Amino acid sequence: MASSSTYYSLFLLIIFFTLASIAMARSQPNQIERDILAQQEADQVMRLPGQPLVNFKQYSGYITVNESHGRALFYWFFEATNNPENKPLLLWLNGGPGCSSIGYGEAEELGPFLMQKGTPQLRFNNYSWNQVANLLFVESPVGVGFSYTNTSNDIIELGDTITAKDSYTFLVNWFGRFPQYKSYDFYISGESYAGHYVPELAEVIFDSNKNVSKEEYINFKGFMIGNALMDDDTDQTGMIDYAWDHAVISDRLYHDIKQYCDFSVENVTNQCNDALNEYFDVYNIIDMYSLYTPTCVDTNVTTRTHRTIEGAAPKLFSKFDKWHRRPAGYDPCVSDYSEVYFNRPDVQEALHANVTNIPYPWTHCSNNISFWSDAPSSVLPIIKKLIDGGLRVWVYSGDTDGRIPVTATRYTLNKLGLKISEDWTPWYTNHEQVGGWTIIYDGLTFVTVRGAGHQVPTFKPKKALQLITHFLANEKLPSKPF
């Protein structure tokens, strides 16, 4: 029979091994955690060809959004430059529909690495938005950029609804790969047709958060959209009024359009068709997206046209080829440099992109998307719903854009019928210059950016960084010089 000292020794041994196992469990991640870390390490981008040295991490790769169809969206993620654990997470979306958030948002607007003219290298963006947020770009929907599907019918079934659902699935699965960001405050921003994408995705998140498990809950706080397509009627009316008011079209053409075109309907009379063709012809010789910057005259670069997408919003204007002209940017030829760069095999390898050998080159706006199955004529009901739901909503507008001009956005926001709490007020940059004007409504802030075209961060990068900084901090822009 064992003595009491033997039992005591055995008890101590059990305690020792129990504590040791707990310590080991805490010091070593479990298999799931190891798998997640392995996925993150596989996606980490060590350094791109021609990239300047940086002290923050970046990741890129694919997130599957539909396994049975083989649908996957390509992302590129940058940690904040400093203290990423204390910064929110921001998703950026470009529009089109069918245009790349990598080609425009990251490489020409607000990302850390911008294209460098005349050399196959990147330059660091001193006004990158990852100074104030962990910054996520995704090419959406499938068929755009490096994002792909193995089911060909998916391309002809694309529309606003499936784009929002796939983007939501992307986010849920992305958080599964990067669970350390699940608790972070999350925001969305975008421009142009992202005036549809962003509120529609926001609504899916808002509605889903009411029913999902804690693991799939997204800590969503709000969104900001710029030069945004929101309402067919006012967007189209505003384009014409802005063009006349900025001496782009003649009195005679302006009155012809006003007489023959009804922007509240889709059907186009012959007289309206003729007048609109004459209107769009003007933008063969000046840049619709930035009235006062030069057009690209380099004979060695490609013409940036974009296939007409049947069914896209706005229903009337989208029937005209010239509505689908791609934006150029402050350096009007820069898009051509980035198309060369992102089609380089060494760049694609470094980005873990094009792993399925997509049978077409990477381009800013997809030429594969020619049909759009659904696009509401207005997203204002969604925006009103989300305002009422307590989300932070900002809308901004570069005031030299002729594509979705400030005039159109003002008409559109007036339709919301929101009470004005602070009327037309200048805001200032730190050089004591007026950066633009603001109107603060109950539940929505509208900001103009003085001297900026369609892609505000391209034309006015410092003002754009000031804008996103104040939005994320939920602070008014300064109304006095400082």
Side-chain angles (χ1 to χ4, degrees), residues 94-283:
N94 279 87
C99 293
S100 167
S101 302
I102 302 298
Y104 287 118
E106 196 296 312
E108 297 179 22
E109 299 187 66
L110 57 111
F113 306 128
L114 302 180
M115 297 311 304
Q116 197 159 203
K117 182 177 180 178
T119 179
Q121 293 187 342
L122 302 171
R123 63 181 176 88
F124 184 70
N125 179 10
N126 291 319
Y127 301 104
S128 173
W129 286 14
N130 76 323
Q131 293 182 48
V132 292
N134 297 284
L135 193 53
L136 177 61
F137 299 91
V138 59
E139 293 188 306
S140 174
V142 292
V144 174
F146 294 123
S147 296
Y148 67 88
T149 177
N150 293 329
T151 306
S152 56
N153 280 347
D154 283 350
I155 299 297
I156 62 173
E157 293 173 358
L158 290 174
D160 282 19
T161 301
I162 196 169
T163 299
K165 287 180 178 177
D166 275 2
S167 294
Y168 175 73
T169 303
F170 165 86
L171 283 173
V172 171
N173 293 343
W174 189 88
F175 280 117
R177 188 170 300 180
F178 292 89
Q180 64 266 41
Y181 291 98
K182 278 184 181 177
S183 62
Y184 286 38
D185 287 352
F186 176 67
Y187 298 89
I188 315 173
S189 188
E191 70 190 9
S192 197
Y193 201 84
H196 278 226
Y197 287 167
V198 172
E200 289 165 344
L201 172 57
E203 183 181 35
V204 175
I205 297 171
F206 180 79
D207 290 343
S208 299
N209 271 350
K210 297 173 183 176
N211 304 308
V212 297
S213 64
K214 184 179 178 182
E215 288 70 30
E216 292 191 354
Y217 184 87
I218 295 174
N219 193 22
F220 184 43
K221 300 297 183 181
F223 63 89
M224 181 172 75
I225 46 178
N227 292 87
L229 193 77
M230 292 181 282
D231 183 90
D232 282 9
D233 185 9
T234 49
D235 287 337
Q236 293 169 141
T237 300
M239 280 185 72
I240 302 303
D241 289 354
Y242 181 90
W244 177 79
D245 194 47
H246 285 72
V248 171
I249 59 174
S250 68
D251 291 359
R252 190 267 311 159
L253 179 56
Y254 177 72
H255 291 303
D256 283 353
I257 295 173
K258 288 293 186 180
Q259 180 177 354
Y260 299 126
C261 298
D262 181 354
F263 295 126
S264 64
V265 299
E266 290 183 42
N267 296 325
V268 184
T269 64
N270 289 334
Q271 295 100 323
C272 176
N273 187 76
D274 292 342
L276 290 179
N277 274 321
E278 187 177 349
Y279 160 75
F280 281 113
D281 280 343
V282 176
Y283 293 117

Side-chain angles (χ1 to χ4, degrees), residues 230 234 380 383 395 408-418 441 444-446:
M230 292 181 282
T234 49
L380 292 182
I383 291 174
V395 176
T409 301
R410 293 171 77 177
Y411 290 165
T412 298
L413 294 179
N414 284 339
K415 288 179 79 170
L416 281 170
L418 300 173
Y441 300 92
L444 184 147
T445 295
F446 173 55

Side-chain angles (χ1 to χ4, degrees), residues 8 12 23 52 55 136 177 252 258 275 290 381 392 467:
Y8 182 69
L12 287 177
N55 61 359
L136 177 61
R177 188 170 300 180
R252 190 267 311 159
K258 288 293 186 180
S290 179
R392 187 182 315 158
L467 176 66

